[in-house]
Amino acid sequence: MIEIKNLEMTFPGNGGLLSQTSFKALRGINMKIQDGSAISVIGESGCGKTTLGRILAGYQRHTDGHVYFDGRDVDTLNKKERKAEFLKVQLIQQDPYAALNPSRTLGKALYEPLRLRAKAIGENHAWIEKRMEYLLALVGLDPVSTVHKYQHNLSGGQRQRFVIARSLTVDPKVLIADEAVSMIDVSLRLEVLNLLNDLRSRLGISVIFITHDVAAARYIADESQLYVIYKGEIVEQGKTDEVISKPMHPYTQSLLSAMPVLKGLESPGPERFDPIEAPNEDPVDTHCLFAQRCPFAQDKCFKEHPQLEKVVDDSRFTACFYPTPRRVAPVSNERDVS
């Protein structure tokens, strides 16, 4: 299990002639990822969701707060222990085209991490060959032909499948899919989402799905937790279907109303507004960070900072002084992510 407590990430200013003030990417993030579960993290570009994924994968260190793997604080581990823990968490890159070396065959790209793995656990070359065949078949690729190909010989969906196979070489417990289907042709997205769900059920792997696509988030974690992040803080949290069907935070409502209506003709009503264009905002956490963009903001919103609190039951939380369920344009009931 991964547990995050009060996670903060602040990037310092560049200190140059055009010096910028420090940027707070994450603000007091709290969440839990149980073994074999799936969660989704959604928000617009720049909200901090990719930074969160990189911290959980060990690509960068947080500036404050705690990350626990099976009850162990990663900040208390030595270098060797830390490396061993972060091997259990693998990041699936957004761009499968940039994730692979175009000058190497796919067989070589898969062989190298397996060679290191075999050395660590005392296995031989025969184990590597057998493991390569197993992993490629697991993600739906032909083991015989794939190992002799280069990345340009594969479609976008096949490349992403191969990237997933490579991430499985170290037997991870958690896969972090950072916009894993955004660079893939629409007709192939469902195949990759189904693959992630299949890996969860067959291998017991947890999936952290980072996306701005509400329909994809619903497909990958319909009964699990959905975290909505705005400017580095969680503004709404709950079961995915409940949050999507009855969003309570105005920012969640804005995200959903900005999505195209895939099926259904419900009117979004007056709550529909564009969450993309925003005025300059004070980065200090002394007021609601969404207040200047919120059509429902009141005086209190500009003077105090709302905390993430329970509003419905044990599984529903929102950081809003005036949470109100509002109907918005629906995401497809058929979970049509195409």
Side-chain angles (χ1 to χ4, degrees):
M1 183 185 76
I2 296 178
E3 184 174 5
I4 303 167
K5 290 186 177 180
N6 300 316
L7 192 69
E8 303 266 347
M9 183 64 202
T10 301
F11 292 99
N14 56 31
L17 181 63
L18 301 176
S19 179
Q20 299 177 352
T21 58
S22 60
F23 173 70
K24 206 166 189 178
L26 296 175
R27 309 166 187 260
I29 299 293
N30 293 280
M31 62 174 60
K32 292 182 179 180
I33 302 97
Q34 302 285 351
D35 290 342
S37 67
I39 70 167
S40 290
V41 180
I42 67 170
E44 64 194 33
S45 297
C47 71
K49 56 187 187 295
T50 293
T51 299
L52 175 63
R54 288 177 59 82
I55 290 173
L56 294 180
Y59 287 7
Q60 63 188 57
R61 290 178 179 266
H62 50 279
T63 52
D64 202 0
H66 301 276
V67 177
Y68 298 91
F69 287 178
D70 294 325
R72 305 175 71 194
D73 189 337
V74 296
D75 288 334
T76 65
L77 305 179
N78 60 40
K79 185 177 180 180
K80 183 177 180 180
E81 291 172 333
R82 182 182 173 87
K83 181 179 179 180
E85 288 297 323
F86 279 112
L87 274 178
K88 301 175 184 177
V89 183
Q90 292 296 306
L91 180 67
I92 302 171
Q93 293 91 343
Q94 175 179 353
D95 186 357
Y97 299 89
L100 299 172
N101 187 337
S103 66
R104 304 184 71 184
T105 64
L106 299 176
K108 289 182 179 180
L110 199 59
Y111 181 89
E112 186 59 24
L114 283 173
R115 182 185 66 81
L116 296 174
R117 180 65 175 166
K119 182 179 179 180
I121 63 177
E123 292 289 351
N124 56 22
H125 180 77
W127 178 88
I128 297 175
E129 295 291 337
K130 186 176 181 180
R131 190 67 177 171
M132 287 178 63
E133 181 179 345
Y134 167 75
L135 291 176
L136 289 172
L138 184 64
V139 298
L141 295 175
D142 177 40
V144 177
S145 62
T146 300
V147 293
H148 302 294
K149 293 180 178 179
Y150 292 86
Q151 65 146 314
H152 64 268
N153 299 129
L154 303 184
S155 67
Q158 289 174 324
R159 293 184 202 194
Q160 195 62 287
R161 286 174 177 270
F162 182 83
V163 170
I164 293 173
R166 188 176 61 177
S167 71
L168 296 174
T169 57
V170 293
D171 297 322
K173 289 186 176 181
V174 181
L175 290 179
I176 301 176
D178 183 10
E179 301 283 9
V181 296
S182 64
M183 297 287 290
I184 301 175
D185 187 271
V186 172
S187 63
L188 301 174
R189 291 180 184 179
L190 189 58
E191 293 182 8
V192 175
L193 294 175
N194 281 333
L195 173 59
L196 291 174
N197 279 332
D198 182 57
L199 292 175
R200 276 184 60 206
S201 61
R202 294 178 64 177
L203 304 179
I205 290 178
S206 301
V207 174
I208 302 174
F209 193 72
I210 297 172
T211 185
H212 64 274
D213 186 337
V214 177
R218 188 182 194 188
Y219 192 89
I220 204 75
D222 58 348
E223 294 298 327
S224 300
Q225 290 290 297
L226 175 68
Y227 295 85
V228 182
I229 294 185
Y230 176 74
K231 286 196 174 294
E233 70 177 0
I234 298 173
V235 296
E236 187 159 0
Q237 169 193 344
K239 291 182 179 180
T240 303
D241 274 348
E242 293 178 2
V243 173
I244 291 177
S245 61
K246 291 183 179 179
M248 303 195 73
H249 194 284
Y251 176 64
T252 310
Q253 294 157 10
S254 75
L255 281 179
L256 294 175
S257 70
M259 294 295 161
V261 181
L262 302 180
K263 291 187 185 296
L265 297 174
E266 290 185 60
S267 172
E271 290 80 21
R272 189 185 187 98
F273 59 97
D274 185 0
I276 303 304
E277 300 203 3
N280 293 327
E281 298 182 32
D282 183 355
V284 182
D285 301 348
T286 55
H287 58 74
C288 175
L289 297 178
F290 191 62
Q292 295 188 48
R293 299 171 70 179
C294 181
F296 314 108
Q298 301 183 33
D299 289 344
K300 185 177 182 179
C301 305
F302 294 93
K303 298 176 182 178
E304 301 178 33
H305 187 79
Q307 302 299 314
L308 190 68
E309 297 179 343
K310 183 167 61 177
V311 291
V312 178
D313 53 38
D314 290 339
S315 64
R316 193 68 176 275
F317 298 80
T318 186
C320 181
F321 292 122
Y322 310 102
T324 305
R326 295 183 177 89
R327 300 190 66 149
V328 295
V331 177
S332 166
N333 290 331
E334 285 77 9
R335 293 176 173 79
D336 181 1
V337 295
S338 63

